[in-house]
Amino acid sequence: MGLHTLTRQLPLRIPLGAFFLNSGLSKRGADRPTAEGLHGFACTAYPFLKKLDAQPFVRLLSAGEILLGAALLVPVVPAAVAGAGVSAFSLGTMGLYLRVPGVREEGSLRPTQEGLPLAKDVWMLGIGLSLMLDDLIERCRHRLLMSGS
């Protein structure tokens, strides 16, 4: 990755990477009630998660967030890879937003107060897609330059 590309991506990668790293580290030692609460919330939108116990679910969630945070913060991880991870995570949380009762106003996409923390994840989708698009454009530009020489 060139310096110009890295400079352009850092304002997206650093704050989001730090956010994911902090979130994952915070969940790492979650006690049983916290794990059960997170697991129960996720199971409301994604019933297949009921097959997992709460503690292993939160450990996996924690590990995924730590890994995603590290991928964003380490510039050698391609933007397309980091962006795909962010986009996938964001789509998962947006699924929660669309499926969990009480986080949206009745008959609307507008969030309730309880839904605001999930509604903001649409920005993460934008960041993830921007990183993937930036990487794609950069690779195409590089190929064009290499084929033209």
Side-chain angles (χ1 to χ4, degrees):
M1 170 182 334
L3 184 60
H4 178 70
T5 303
L6 178 61
T7 304
R8 185 175 59 240
Q9 293 175 0
L10 283 178
L12 298 174
R13 292 177 77 137
I14 290 174
L16 191 54
F19 175 84
F20 271 109
L21 190 58
N22 179 63
S23 183
L25 290 171
S26 297
K27 288 180 183 80
R28 199 168 69 172
D31 59 13
R32 177 149 297 282
T34 301
E36 288 173 351
L38 289 168
H39 183 250
F41 188 66
C43 288
T44 301
Y46 302 108
F48 68 89
L49 292 174
K50 291 177 184 174
K51 295 177 184 175
L52 285 173
D53 287 331
Q55 292 291 137
F57 167 77
V58 172
R59 280 195 296 271
L60 285 171
L61 179 61
S62 169
E65 288 181 333
I66 291 168
L67 184 64
L68 190 49
L72 286 160
L73 292 171
V74 177
V76 295
V77 174
V81 173
V86 170
S87 297
F89 189 91
S90 178
L91 287 170
T93 57
M94 289 173 61
L96 288 170
Y97 179 72
L98 294 172
R99 294 179 179 147
V100 172
V103 296
R104 290 180 296 116
E105 292 180 5
E106 189 68 34
S108 171
L109 287 176
R110 294 182 61 189
T112 61
Q113 281 301 115
E114 294 79 23
L116 280 175
L118 289 172
K120 56 104 179 104
D121 287 352
V122 71
W123 300 333
M124 285 195 296
L125 178 61
I127 291 170
L129 294 174
S130 293
L131 287 170
M132 290 191 305
L133 184 61
D134 189 52
D135 194 48
L136 176 67
I137 290 169
E138 191 63 28
R139 288 173 192 266
C140 289
R141 190 176 75 72
H142 180 73
R143 284 192 184 117
L144 284 173
L145 290 173
M146 297 307 285
S147 67
S149 39

